[in-house]
Amino acid sequence: MVRKAHIPTMAIGLITGVRQAEEIIASGKADFICMARGAIWYPRWAWHAAEELGAEAPYAPRAMPAHPDARPSVFPNRQKPAA
């Protein structure tokens, strides 16, 4: 039985994979996810998740040197996110 809370809901707990997080959101099981261990272990998780899903995540101005576009030779197989 699905109950509607009529407020945004979050999923938490052992969410570590990009596809796992995407499935939770896409299936409507939650409106957003919260990560703790995964983000602490891998602080660039959101950037890499966006890359895997073909999206572009915002980079802070001081982090722009880390953007894959800044070093195309390091990321030769990078697919440009759809505009």
Side-chain angles (χ1 to χ4, degrees):
M1 169 187 254
V2 175
R3 296 181 187 183
K4 302 276 182 177
H6 303 291
I7 58 173
T9 58
M10 66 179 164
I12 60 170
L14 298 176
I15 299 168
T16 58
V18 174
R19 299 293 173 184
Q20 175 190 19
E22 177 67 8
E23 189 277 328
I24 291 168
I25 301 299
S27 68
K29 294 176 183 170
D31 298 302
F32 59 98
I33 62 164
C34 292
M35 294 179 57
R37 288 177 192 90
I40 291 168
W41 178 73
Y42 190 32
R44 292 173 184 85
W45 189 93
W47 287 346
H48 290 248
E51 287 283 323
E52 186 173 326
L53 297 172
E56 185 71 37
Y59 279 60
R62 292 187 65 136
M64 284 308 292
H67 195 285
D69 285 347
R71 302 284 188 270
S73 62
V74 177
F75 303 97
N77 299 321
R78 181 176 190 251
Q79 301 276 328
K80 289 281 189 174

